[in-house]
Amino acid sequence: MPGKLKVKIVAGRHLPVMDRASDLTDAFVEVKFGNTTFKTDVYPKSLNPQWNSEWFKFEVDDEELQDEPLQITVLDHDTYSANDAIGKVYIDIDPLLYSEAATVISGWFPIYDTIHGIRGEINVVVKVDLFNDLNRFRQSSCGVKFFCTTSIPKCYRAVVIHGFVEELVVNEDPEYQWIDRIRTPRASNEARQRLISLMSGELQRKIGLKVLEMRGNAVVGYLQCFDLEGESGLVVRAIGTACTLDKLSNTSAFLPACNSPSKEMKEIPFNEDPNPNTYSSGPSTPLKNQTYSFSPSKSYSRQSSSSDTDLSLTPKTAPSPQGPRIFLFPSSPTLSCDSPHLKKSCLLLSGSSVKPLHCSHVSPVVLRKSVSFTEELLLAASGMGSGSAGKEGGPFKTLLRQQTQSALEQREFPFFTLTAFPPGFLLHVGGVVSARSVKLLDRIHNPAFVGIMGNTRSYKLLDWNSFNSDEPETRDAWWAEIRQEIKSHAKALGCHAVVGYSESTSICEEVCILSASGTAAVLNPRFLQDGTMEGCLEQRLSWQPGFFSIGSEKGEVDFFPQSQDSSSLLGIEEASPPGCGFCHIPYDELNMPFPAHLTYCYNCRKQKVPDVLFTTIDLPVEAIVVGKGCLIQARLCRLKKKAQAEANATSISNLLPFMEYEVHTQLMNKLKLRGMNALFGLRIQITVGENMLMGLASATGVYLAALPTPGGIQIAGKTPNDGTYEQHISHMQKKINDTIAKNKELYEINPPELPEEIIGSPIPEPRQRSRLLRSQSESSDEVTELDLSHGKKDAFVLEIDDTDAMEDVHSLLTDVPPPSGFYSCNTEIMPGINNWTPEIQMFTAVRVSRLSNINPTNQTLNKNFNDLCENLLKSLYFKLRSMVPCCLCHVNFTVALPEDELVQIAVTAVAITYDKNQALQANKAPTEKSQQRASTDNEEQLQFPLELSSDPLSSQPFSPAKEALEGASSHTGIPAAQRATSLEKASPLAEGYLRHRSVPSGTNSTVSVVKMTPLSFLPGAKITKYLGIINMFFIRETTSLREEGGVSGFLHAFIAEVFAMVRAHVAALGGNAVVSYIMKQCVFMENPNKNQAQCLINVSGDAVIFVRESELEALPVPAPAAAAQPAGSAGDVTT
Amino acid sequence: MSSDLDVFVGNTTLIDEEVYRLWLDGHSVAEAVSLVSPVSPLSPVAEAVARRLRGGVLEREGTSVAVLQSDTRDHYRTFQMLERLLHAPPRLLQQLLFQIPPERQALLVQRYYAFDEALARELLGKKLSKGTKKELDEVSARTGVGIRSCRRQFDNFKRVFKAVEELRGPLAENIQQLFLLPPALARDYAAIVFFANSRFETGKRRLQFLSFGDFAACAQSMMAHWSQGALAPEAADPDGDLPKSFLQDLKELKVLVSDKDLLDQHKSLVCSALRGKISVYNELEANFKALSRALVNVGGKLTHARDVRDFFVDLVEKVIEPCRSDKWSPGDLRLFLTHYTAAPRNLPGFRHQALWERYMAAISACLLRMYHD
């Protein structure tokens, strides 16, 4: 019995009127955890009940603690009929399970109902007493910390970065169960919310187990997603990066102390069996029976796809280390497993015998084709594609690769979900690798079952579990395939790892596009190896001598003919200048995987760099950047015929490569148009709808000093004889050149003049219009020998051969730069701005537009889509105009196609103000880490910052004078008297408020302010504690859409409610901010005819406590966060 | 390509003061029609957009009408959601749905409860009932305040009235606590509640020269001097009702005019004190008895609800108008009232000195406030 959960229900307030006759409510509360339920007394006739209950105690397994949410239901007692539910609160108690995070959850939670929204609030206190569990076969992974942040969290140090962890669990979607036909929408929504909460808990626990197995103690860059596959079920999957983190304040403690079971784990001798526990999870609660998972940590989990991998058209020249293809029959790997798997394999046997049949049905070759095409085209176009691996390439590089490979190759997937790294971690970046695969969801129903029953519909009445138990394997196999693909692409780029890795899906009816992308990279092995792991240590010892010998004889001669001695060679990776090292190509230039154009690095002049660099990661802090960055988007629509099943999947597969190519060309052109040469944070989203595909790529363009100056864009016409046409072309050319010049000015791109370079003449002779025409930056002499390759590639030439192309060029020019005072980027920090002020405003904007064309063409759709995005951005700039000068950071667009002609775009971003005066100085200084810090005196200059920055810590009256000064804008928690002095305009309220304090009622319990940001940091503040992960899923439904203000009113209220619930949970944990906030899903469906709408939102982030940097000195000892919680009792003078 | 759904939600709720003002003002259809825009002419949003267009936002920010519409709609939705909370401002402070800085919350409440004095003047002393609400169309036409705004303000009056009707203690303070209003605004609301409660007649033609401010000041003096709270702060009755016992006692003062001796003595005391000090001495001497009778009788009638209604009419008709026709200056009136109030102290056999001074304090304040053109 390793844990005791204690819950106290204190009070409620602002409850809805449930009894029309008396205008009052007889409320009581049910507290449920697992299968145990407690009830409070009925508090009669009050809208502000004071239950002040006893402590309800639940004695539970820690496994259950991790999986289950605490469920609090507020009801109205009714003597004669059934009690009416007012609403619920789900509390994830996970943050209480690790010792470093929160110790108590206490505060006001909005009572949420899926039909009515927020209905009053309830004050709850939750505590957990956790006992040590020494059982090595335990199923729980309490103590493993989870972070959404995709970098090493601010108050931690990474001791080891272990690598990729992933897991998925599958269940039937309650919305599609037969019972849904007879139950109320509310019951159905609640079943769904609860199930997803349960599945996320389970998923997190299982990932935690994997992390413990890898001897890590944390997951960073944890990304959990839902795939709502409709009829075929619900998939919850997560990826992350396992790390061993060390709290910065206490360097001695390696692993979390006290309750953390990971400590015990260390004492257990290393088990040879890689997965001693995961498979043996027995059903301990009835609910758990419903969710099955499978951990694919070994390649033999790929059985279902094993037969088709060979047929894939992807040029996988590098053999996969584990050689999954040797298993031709799905049953063989399971049989070859260790004893713990026996149970599982028995379970599988029934299904596996039918599998070949399944394969022939699906014709996976057709479906998978897209992946390989796509990838090749994309990469070739980007100038960093796949093709053949540089296997026999430079021995030096190979060696280098080997050194880290040895560490990485013991893992199946050397992937990292991180986007920012400790200095020195990232050695080289190869480029973006991505893979997509089109799948038919229809086929994932257990083929065994189909074989037996011959009727896909009837299964709903049967026990779902017995037939779908191996379904996660199908999903796992799909992902494993894609990851394998990514891995081989990375190899082809001479890289042994993939960073900034992410996965996503787009589902429409029965078709699902799985996508994965990342940045191929070479990493420093130092961070990847755990000194305690003997295997690694051995390998490290063994490769080193070899490295010396071969390196000195070949590497020097072949590749560094100029003047490199062996010492620099030895430590070459460390020796490469920090500002440009990551730009240097990791692949072998003589045997390049694609036609690329290389020059010597413009920074160190020693190594080769590509002409453009695309990555999915954040700009490394040490990178040397010229000017500022900007958000670059490529937008694209493609019509598709409506089709069914395989025909549909095939047509999508056929479209994908063209879309990727076009998206890529657009990105490249827009990058050139801004005079920049690198993209960071690239995210390409392909969304599938019934009759079209949409592609949206967002990235932040920058000018890297290490890379060559980009050339201009040259327009070439097809009909050179026509005089007017020619005139038109030259006019257009002029416009483009003007735009480039303007952009350079706007983004302050003035690269230092290099003697052998001619900068600023991007316009070649207008006469030369041959296809071979390229722009000019390569006029430097070193590159002349490489100019031979130019003919193969003409990414800079826009050839206008028909009206479509003309429109493409036009659309290039329609991107309006943001109004003055605004910058935007989709990365964490804006390159070139490093003087943030503490004012932030996080927001979510959602738009759904109808594409009204009767006969839409690709062109009109493109234009519509483009306008939609541009208008959305414009309206954001307008809304946030009061914050100027400011920067929109982490601009995250998601596109969905909910219905035939509807396009939904959701944007979440944060606007951060910066100091204009300091910006001038900052431009001169190279980008520093101090970007994240704002000077402290800016705070005082701000009279009324928009965002409340009050944090519980500052509410302690340590420095009253100072607080009085700042109080007006930044503190709600300070005593009202102080605030009143600083509130001139607002004094009446403050006075009235002051009065209330004297009244013995609870009206004065201020709502503590919680900041939210998609970034991993808060400008001008220091994160002192991570309180745990916030991962919430809500459903809202209405049957009175018009009455709630139509679709906009409905969604507006819902998003506000989601924010409110996130804030309440963070505040209850004692936190004052959410960092790395992300809205992962926003699924909106409407049926205006029935006056109905439904929306699902999934958000996550890290709850933290931050302290203003200016207050750090004033507050040497942070006060306990719980002290800042609003008082438990509350009343209302109105009653 | 039309936007079906378009929302923007900030973690900190964005409040645009300009749009808030437009929302509070309500809008006339005429303005909306003047806008050449595809929005339906009856929508309040369109009007707001039109107003903003005229305000030059477009030129200032270089944005488009569509953006302006989207922004205005967002704000309007926010305000509509906030309105429920604004009905009980303490809830605005406690609610979790909108994260709004305190000074913004104060601004929201203050602006929401601010009212047009012209409208308040029209409604003073009227019963805050459905019937009155139906007449708001005319009031709107007379005052030039938009009908939507009229209704909102009327509802505010009514809400405040209902909330404090039964409460004990000082009206203004109760209002201030329950609605978190600035003190001055709370006092104005107290006056409105006081008038609505006592149903003083204010609509007569002869009272038209009096502004809302005049009446509010009178109400405040009356509450300050006459209400039970003025004597004993822990009193049981709400300030809105004048204490019955006090009104009953006022009848005792009639002795000042009914007893011929007292009246004469009173007159001689006042006249001797004022001789040479005021310009209208002769007129005073001639009218003293009429004035004194009027002043005392006004109080004597207050026990009957019907007569209470005529309180201000009587003061104007019987005191202010005669004085004005005799060209009293405000200084003259002030001197007269001071001595008139003080004189009974020296009247032998007058036992109601305290009551008299309490009564006259409010009457004097009212008269001085009302004595203008």
Side-chain angles (χ1 to χ4, degrees):
Chain A
M1 196 56 65
K4 194 192 270 180
L5 172 68
K6 299 190 291 182
V7 184
K8 187 185 174 99
I9 305 297
V10 182
R13 66 183 183 195
H14 310 141
L15 296 188
V17 170
M18 296 302 282
D19 180 1
R20 287 268 154 245
S22 65
D23 268 3
L24 288 168
T25 296
D26 304 319
F28 70 100
V29 182
E30 272 182 16
V31 185
K32 189 176 176 197
F33 189 78
N35 293 321
T36 318
T37 307
F38 292 103
K39 279 181 192 174
T40 65
D41 297 332
V42 175
Y43 193 91
K45 304 212 181 311
S46 172
L47 299 183
N48 299 287
Q50 304 285 320
W51 292 288
N52 236 326
S53 78
E54 56 183 304
W55 284 101
F56 300 125
K57 296 188 182 87
F58 301 87
E59 296 188 332
V60 280
D61 293 344
D62 46 1
E63 187 185 342
E64 214 175 340
L65 281 173
Q66 282 192 295
D67 287 6
E68 293 270 349
L70 176 66
Q71 185 180 321
I72 293 165
T73 313
V74 186
L75 298 114
D76 176 50
H77 175 75
D78 203 325
T79 323
Y80 304 108
S81 60
N83 298 327
D84 295 325
I86 295 171
K88 287 188 186 232
V89 179
Y90 291 97
I91 301 176
D92 179 13
I93 47 169
D94 211 51
L96 297 178
L97 302 181
Y98 25 98
S99 49
E100 283 169 37
T103 52
V104 64
I105 298 177
S106 162
W108 288 101
F109 291 89
I111 302 168
Y112 180 72
D113 179 71
T114 59
I115 306 294
H116 294 103
I118 290 178
R119 304 171 98 189
E121 288 126 36
I122 184 168
N123 194 303
V124 181
V125 187
V126 185
K127 284 180 181 173
V128 171
D129 290 338
L130 205 60
F131 314 124
N132 281 350
D133 182 12
L134 301 175
N135 178 7
R136 56 177 281 203
F137 293 111
R138 72 210 155 74
Q139 293 299 303
S140 74
S141 53
C142 295
V144 174
K145 291 181 285 287
F146 284 81
F147 301 93
C148 293
T149 303
T150 56
S151 56
I152 300 304
K154 293 291 176 292
C155 42
Y156 291 92
R157 182 175 69 88
V159 180
V160 187
I161 297 174
H162 298 284
F164 192 57
V165 279
E166 48 76 39
E167 182 69 88
L168 63 82
V169 292
V170 173
N171 204 330
E172 189 181 3
D173 192 336
E175 186 99 340
Y176 295 88
Q177 275 167 331
W178 66 269
I179 194 169
D180 204 57
R181 300 200 185 136
I182 54 168
R183 65 181 164 190
T184 61
R186 176 182 283 120
S188 166
N189 291 340
E190 282 173 1
R192 238 174 155 189
Q193 283 192 166
R194 191 181 131 71
L195 177 72
I196 288 190
S197 182
L198 204 66
M199 287 168 83
S200 327
E202 185 192 339
L203 194 67
Q204 213 171 313
R205 174 174 58 81
K206 290 192 164 158
I207 293 246
L209 279 170
K210 289 189 173 181
V211 172
L212 291 178
E213 211 171 276
M214 294 166 103
R215 305 194 162 202
N217 64 359
V219 181
V220 180
Y222 184 68
L223 178 71
Q224 185 195 287
C225 291
F226 301 96
D227 296 332
L228 301 167
E229 297 185 349
E231 294 268 321
S232 53
L234 194 76
V235 178
V236 186
R237 58 192 162 79
I239 56 174
T241 305
C243 295
T244 302
L245 297 184
D246 197 358
K247 187 121 198 191
L248 275 180
S249 50
N250 54 333
T251 39
S252 56
F254 189 67
L255 286 166
C258 43
N259 286 336
S260 159
S262 56
K263 194 179 180 185
E264 276 78 55
M265 192 66 190
K266 273 202 80 180
E267 284 146 23
I268 301 165
F270 188 65
N271 197 321
E272 284 309 307
D273 184 348
N275 273 341
N277 304 325
T278 21
Y279 298 111
S280 57
S281 98
S284 59
T285 64
L287 261 163
K288 267 185 199 97
N289 277 334
Q290 290 169 11
T291 52
Y292 278 83
S293 82
F294 184 81
S295 63
S297 58
K298 294 285 147 187
S299 59
Y300 42 67
S301 68
R302 302 178 62 239
Q303 57 239 45
S304 65
S305 65
S306 56
S307 55
D308 60 76
T309 27
D310 283 331
L311 297 169
S312 152
L313 296 176
T314 319
K316 277 182 196 156
T317 43
S320 198
Q322 281 95 354
R325 288 182 200 89
I326 57 161
F327 300 112
L328 282 178
F329 289 98
S331 53
S332 56
T334 35
L335 289 174
S336 66
C337 290
D338 296 328
S339 54
H341 303 264
L342 275 177
K343 196 169 133 197
K344 185 87 185 176
S345 58
C346 293
L347 205 75
L348 283 171
L349 273 177
S350 60
S352 54
S353 57
V354 202
K355 277 235 164 95
L357 186 135
H358 154 60
C359 291
S360 61
H361 261 292
V362 179
S363 68
V365 189
V366 180
L367 300 186
R368 284 179 43 76
K369 200 168 60 180
S370 66
V371 180
S372 24
F373 271 139
T374 299
E375 194 45 42
E376 242 178 329
L377 276 167
L378 168 68
L379 293 174
S382 71
M384 47 215 61
S386 61
S388 63
K391 269 192 298 194
E392 72 268 78
F396 173 71
K397 295 269 177 180
T398 316
L399 272 171
L400 220 125
R401 213 177 302 139
Q402 274 170 6
Q403 132 191 14
T404 26
Q405 246 163 9
S406 61
L408 286 166
E409 268 177 4
Q410 14 187 357
R411 279 162 227 149
E412 191 180 17
F413 300 115
F415 298 168
F416 300 86
T417 54
L418 303 180
T419 58
F421 308 92
F425 182 80
L426 194 65
L427 296 181
H428 301 303
V429 169
V432 170
V433 286
S434 82
R436 284 179 213 283
S437 168
V438 183
K439 296 289 184 189
L440 273 182
L441 295 175
D442 193 51
R443 298 289 170 184
I444 57 143
H445 296 318
N446 191 334
F449 177 76
V450 177
I452 296 160
M453 302 299 296
N455 178 357
T456 43
R457 290 285 151 188
S458 60
Y459 70 88
K460 295 215 159 180
L461 298 167
L462 295 160
D463 182 7
W464 168 272
N465 303 308
S466 61
F467 294 104
N468 288 275
S469 53
D470 64 344
E471 202 182 319
E473 292 165 48
T474 329
R475 293 297 188 289
D476 262 328
W478 289 358
W479 287 112
E481 248 170 56
I482 287 202
R483 289 168 192 149
Q484 206 59 48
E485 196 100 24
I486 291 275
K487 192 177 167 181
S488 67
H489 287 318
K491 264 208 174 112
L493 285 174
C495 296
H496 56 71
V498 175
V499 294
Y501 180 73
S502 66
E503 294 175 348
S504 62
T505 57
S506 170
I507 297 171
C508 177
E509 306 278 296
E510 54 195 1
V511 174
C512 174
I513 303 182
L514 310 184
S515 313
S517 72
T519 305
V522 177
L523 304 178
N524 190 333
R526 206 149 37 90
F527 292 89
L528 299 170
Q529 282 164 339
D530 191 339
T532 57
M533 283 176 81
E534 279 133 314
C536 297
L537 207 62
E538 261 172 54
Q539 276 162 359
R540 200 188 270 168
L541 288 171
S542 62
W543 57 251
Q544 220 122 17
F547 173 67
F548 275 116
S549 60
I550 307 172
S552 54
E553 66 181 52
K554 270 197 172 177
E556 206 173 326
V557 178
D558 291 353
F559 293 100
F560 302 95
Q562 278 136 350
S563 65
Q564 278 194 328
D565 56 10
S566 53
S567 70
S568 81
L569 184 65
L570 198 155
I572 185 75
E573 298 310 330
E574 277 84 17
S576 63
C580 61
F582 72 93
C583 305
H584 301 160
I585 53 164
Y587 37 87
D588 160 31
E589 63 175 289
L590 294 183
N591 202 340
M592 280 191 300
F594 49 87
H597 170 241
L598 304 177
T599 49
Y600 278 102
C601 173
Y602 278 57
N603 189 44
C604 66
R605 303 242 144 237
K606 282 175 186 158
Q607 301 209 30
K608 295 287 173 79
V609 293
D611 50 355
V612 275
L613 188 59
F614 283 17
T615 73
T616 57
I617 56 170
D618 271 342
L619 183 71
V621 280
E622 65 267 19
I624 300 170
V625 173
V626 176
K628 294 194 168 66
C630 79
L631 180 72
I632 292 179
Q633 284 192 323
R635 301 143 187 159
L636 187 66
C637 288
R638 279 276 178 159
L639 284 168
K640 166 183 89 63
K641 280 203 189 80
K642 277 192 186 179
Q644 290 299 310
E646 273 147 57
N648 193 18
T650 312
S651 68
I652 294 170
S653 303
N654 292 339
L655 273 175
L656 279 179
F658 297 100
M659 291 196 65
E660 299 246 21
Y661 179 79
E662 244 176 89
V663 161
H664 193 270
T665 314
Q666 259 192 49
L667 281 176
M668 194 64 113
N669 287 332
K670 289 188 177 179
L671 186 68
K672 299 279 168 206
L673 204 60
R674 285 168 178 80
M676 296 174 184
N677 56 18
L679 286 181
F680 286 89
L682 176 63
R683 192 167 157 266
I684 303 177
Q685 203 195 347
I686 304 266
T687 312
V688 56
E690 272 186 17
N691 58 351
M692 61 177 146
L693 286 173
M694 286 211 155
L696 180 67
S698 305
T700 301
V702 290
Y703 185 102
L704 286 178
L707 266 46
T709 312
I713 294 173
Q714 176 67 25
I715 293 183
K718 262 283 162 89
T719 48
N721 311 331
D722 192 342
T724 55
Y725 186 69
E726 214 161 308
Q727 210 172 9
H728 182 70
I729 295 281
S730 67
H731 174 70
M732 204 108 99
Q733 180 70 63
K734 190 177 170 297
K735 251 169 99 177
I736 286 178
N737 294 338
D738 288 352
T739 313
I740 294 178
K742 223 185 286 168
N743 278 329
K744 281 191 172 177
E745 199 179 318
L746 180 64
Y747 300 111
E748 295 158 24
I749 298 168
N750 332 294
E753 294 265 345
L754 292 171
E756 67 272 65
E757 232 184 26
I758 305 148
I759 296 172
S761 63
I763 313 130
E765 289 294 294
R767 295 280 157 222
Q768 296 175 279
R769 255 185 280 102
S770 82
R771 286 205 78 206
L772 297 188
L773 229 185
R774 300 197 20 128
S775 49
Q776 334 27 75
S777 64
E778 51 270 17
S779 45
S780 73
D781 0 13
E782 313 141 61
V783 274
T784 41
E785 78 235 44
L786 285 162
D787 269 349
L788 294 170
S789 66
H790 286 181
K792 294 180 203 159
K793 187 168 149 248
D794 51 355
F796 310 113
V797 182
L798 285 179
E799 191 177 302
I800 300 180
D801 44 4
D802 55 12
T803 45
D804 287 4
M806 191 64 104
E807 290 200 14
D808 285 348
V809 175
H810 273 302
S811 71
L812 259 188
L813 295 164
T814 53
D815 278 12
V816 192
S820 72
F822 272 109
Y823 288 97
S824 56
C825 62
N826 76 333
T827 46
E828 284 251 309
I829 42 173
M830 175 70 180
I833 299 180
N834 56 10
N835 44 318
W836 305 110
T837 46
E839 190 185 342
I840 64 167
Q841 167 71 292
M842 191 282 297
F843 60 85
T844 292
V846 181
R847 266 189 195 188
V848 175
S849 276
R850 193 170 289 279
L851 305 167
S852 48
N853 303 37
I854 304 147
N855 290 315
T857 61
N858 282 337
Q859 256 61 43
T860 54
L861 283 180
N862 276 348
K863 192 177 175 308
N864 283 341
F865 184 37
N866 211 34
D867 289 350
L868 185 58
C869 294
E870 283 293 320
N871 287 338
L872 186 49
L873 280 172
K874 259 187 228 162
S875 95
L876 297 181
Y877 295 135
F878 179 73
K879 287 211 175 277
L880 299 163
R881 65 195 185 281
S882 65
M883 292 181 76
V884 162
C886 84
C887 176
L888 298 187
C889 292
H890 215 285
V891 179
N892 187 5
F893 274 67
T894 33
V895 183
L897 297 163
E899 267 176 59
D900 246 8
E901 285 169 339
L902 293 183
V903 183
Q904 176 194 318
I905 301 183
V907 190
T908 299
V910 63
I912 311 182
T913 53
Y914 63 91
D915 192 323
K916 211 166 194 172
N917 303 328
Q918 290 189 8
L920 294 170
Q921 302 168 359
N923 286 336
K924 286 161 198 158
T927 321
E928 284 170 43
K929 278 188 187 171
S930 64
Q931 275 173 326
Q932 302 173 2
R933 293 176 43 221
S935 79
T936 51
D937 35 278
N938 294 336
E939 251 171 296
E940 269 106 348
Q941 294 169 8
L942 280 162
Q943 278 300 306
F944 287 101
L946 190 66
E947 182 92 5
L948 275 173
S949 58
S950 155
D951 46 303
L953 296 181
S954 63
S955 63
Q956 310 299 318
F958 279 101
S959 54
K962 194 177 180 185
E963 280 189 357
L965 188 77
E966 298 176 349
S969 54
S970 56
H971 303 289
T972 47
I974 62 164
Q978 277 179 30
R979 198 176 50 215
T981 60
S982 60
L983 284 172
E984 276 157 14
K985 274 189 179 172
S987 59
L989 182 68
E991 264 179 56
Y993 189 63
L994 188 66
R995 272 182 197 289
H996 273 280
R997 295 183 68 92
S998 60
V999 178
S1001 71
T1003 0
N1004 57 341
S1005 59
T1006 0
V1007 178
S1008 53
V1009 173
V1010 175
K1011 291 200 169 205
M1012 290 166 77
T1013 172
L1015 308 177
S1016 64
F1017 66 95
L1018 288 143
K1022 190 174 185 296
I1023 294 172
T1024 54
K1025 195 172 181 185
Y1026 281 81
L1027 298 165
I1029 198 165
I1030 296 282
N1031 188 3
M1032 299 170 98
F1033 175 83
F1034 298 103
I1035 302 177
R1036 180 86 149 79
E1037 191 166 342
T1038 184
T1039 49
S1040 52
L1041 187 58
R1042 274 186 295 275
E1043 294 77 0
E1044 291 191 36
V1047 284
S1048 296
F1050 171 72
L1051 194 63
H1052 192 139
F1054 185 38
I1055 294 174
E1057 282 168 351
V1058 168
F1059 285 0
M1061 287 184 278
V1062 169
R1063 286 193 302 257
H1065 276 78
V1066 172
L1069 285 169
N1072 54 8
V1074 187
V1075 297
S1076 301
Y1077 170 82
I1078 175 172
M1079 186 167 85
K1080 290 178 293 192
Q1081 218 136 21
C1082 177
V1083 184
F1084 179 76
M1085 289 159 286
E1086 59 166 319
N1087 188 342
N1089 299 331
K1090 283 187 175 173
N1091 206 18
Q1092 287 175 343
Q1094 191 191 34
C1095 186
L1096 292 79
I1097 288 185
N1098 178 213
V1099 297
S1100 65
D1102 293 327
V1104 299
I1105 301 176
F1106 73 88
V1107 182
R1108 292 244 154 263
E1109 267 165 13
S1110 54
E1111 284 156 9
L1112 269 181
E1113 297 91 47
L1115 281 169
V1117 188
Q1125 288 309 302
S1129 68
D1132 198 329
V1133 285
T1134 51
T1135 55
Chain B
M1 191 143 164
S2 59
S3 281
D4 289 8
L5 185 158
D6 180 6
V7 297
F8 174 100
V9 189
N11 183 38
T12 302
T13 306
L14 284 182
I15 309 272
D16 187 307
E17 288 186 40
E18 189 193 354
V19 184
Y20 188 51
R21 190 175 46 72
L22 292 171
W23 179 74
L24 288 174
D25 283 354
H27 311 276
S28 75
V29 178
E31 278 173 316
V33 175
S34 75
L35 170 70
V36 193
S37 110
V39 196
S40 99
L42 287 166
S43 122
V45 173
E47 293 176 26
V49 170
R51 289 248 184 163
R52 292 180 79 182
L53 280 175
R54 244 176 262 158
V57 182
L58 219 57
E59 289 73 38
R60 241 172 21 242
E61 306 291 337
T63 190
S64 69
V65 177
V67 167
L68 209 56
Q69 277 170 3
S70 144
D71 180 58
T72 313
R73 284 203 190 95
D74 268 324
H75 284 298
Y76 266 56
R77 271 198 303 273
T78 307
F79 298 142
Q80 271 150 24
M81 284 188 262
L82 277 171
E83 190 162 23
R84 194 172 48 88
L85 297 163
L86 284 167
H87 290 169
R91 279 197 63 179
L92 185 68
L93 264 68
Q94 282 187 339
Q95 54 84 31
L96 305 176
L97 191 57
F98 299 99
Q99 186 156 275
I100 305 170
E103 77 276 359
R104 287 267 153 182
Q105 288 181 347
L107 179 117
L108 284 174
V109 173
Q110 211 173 314
R111 294 265 176 93
Y112 189 79
Y113 282 93
F115 55 84
D116 287 296
E117 293 202 347
L119 174 73
R121 172 70 184 79
E122 290 277 340
L123 294 174
L124 266 184
K126 288 207 174 118
K127 197 175 175 189
L128 298 174
S129 63
K130 284 211 178 92
T132 314
K133 196 172 178 180
K134 279 186 191 133
E135 293 161 19
L136 284 177
D137 286 340
E138 296 162 32
V139 177
S140 167
R142 271 203 300 278
T143 56
V145 178
I147 182 65
R148 285 193 199 96
S149 181
C150 278
R151 295 204 184 108
R152 182 180 56 78
Q153 293 183 39
F154 178 83
D155 289 340
N156 282 347
F157 297 153
K158 194 170 172 179
R159 190 176 317 109
V160 173
F161 180 80
K162 290 263 177 218
V164 297
E165 203 178 15
E166 307 289 318
L167 288 186
R168 296 171 184 183
L171 254 186
E173 282 185 36
N174 283 336
I175 292 170
Q176 205 177 322
Q177 273 187 25
L178 287 180
F179 294 92
L180 308 182
L181 299 180
L185 189 56
R187 280 195 295 274
D188 284 348
Y189 267 95
I192 291 165
V193 171
F194 182 73
F195 269 75
N197 204 35
S198 306
R199 311 278 306 282
F200 293 109
E201 173 62 68
T202 62
K204 284 262 163 65
R205 177 172 288 274
R206 32 167 66 95
L207 297 181
Q208 284 311 310
F209 74 99
L210 293 170
S211 71
F212 171 80
D214 296 335
F215 282 119
C218 294
Q220 276 150 25
S221 336
M222 286 158 82
M223 279 187 284
H225 295 106
W226 292 355
S227 69
Q228 209 151 31
L231 293 182
E234 306 307 319
D237 285 334
D239 269 12
D241 296 332
L242 292 177
K244 288 253 155 47
S245 57
F246 169 71
L247 297 179
Q248 204 62 46
D249 291 347
L250 288 180
K251 287 192 185 298
E252 306 288 324
L253 297 177
K254 285 205 169 169
V255 71
L256 278 176
V257 285
S258 56
D259 186 320
K260 187 114 182 36
D261 286 352
L262 274 179
L263 184 60
D264 286 338
Q265 284 178 42
H266 194 184
K267 181 182 173 183
S268 64
L269 279 170
V270 173
C271 285
S272 63
L274 287 177
R275 183 169 297 140
K277 287 189 183 153
I278 58 173
S279 55
V280 286
Y281 181 75
N282 294 334
E283 290 85 346
L284 163 69
E285 214 171 12
N287 287 338
F288 182 86
K289 285 185 183 169
L291 279 175
S292 186
R293 220 169 267 135
L295 286 167
V296 172
N297 284 339
V298 163
K301 282 163 73 182
L302 285 177
T303 38
H304 303 294
R306 208 183 307 122
D307 299 330
V308 168
R309 299 202 56 177
D310 292 335
F311 177 76
F312 288 100
V313 181
D314 287 349
L315 281 186
V316 168
E317 194 176 348
K318 295 183 176 145
V319 183
I320 291 183
E321 282 179 353
C323 292
R324 202 187 281 152
S325 65
D326 288 344
K327 303 220 159 35
W328 290 43
S329 73
D332 295 338
L333 186 63
R334 180 184 306 277
L335 266 176
F336 164 71
L337 286 171
T338 313
H339 290 279
Y340 178 73
T341 309
R345 210 174 289 159
N346 304 320
L347 284 178
F350 183 68
R351 298 187 311 274
H352 309 291
Q353 189 58 42
L355 181 68
W356 169 249
E357 277 176 21
R358 180 177 168 195
Y359 169 70
M360 277 311 291
I363 293 288
S364 306
C366 289
L367 283 172
L368 288 170
R369 175 75 203 214
M370 288 157 73
Y371 194 72
H372 62 77
D373 294 327

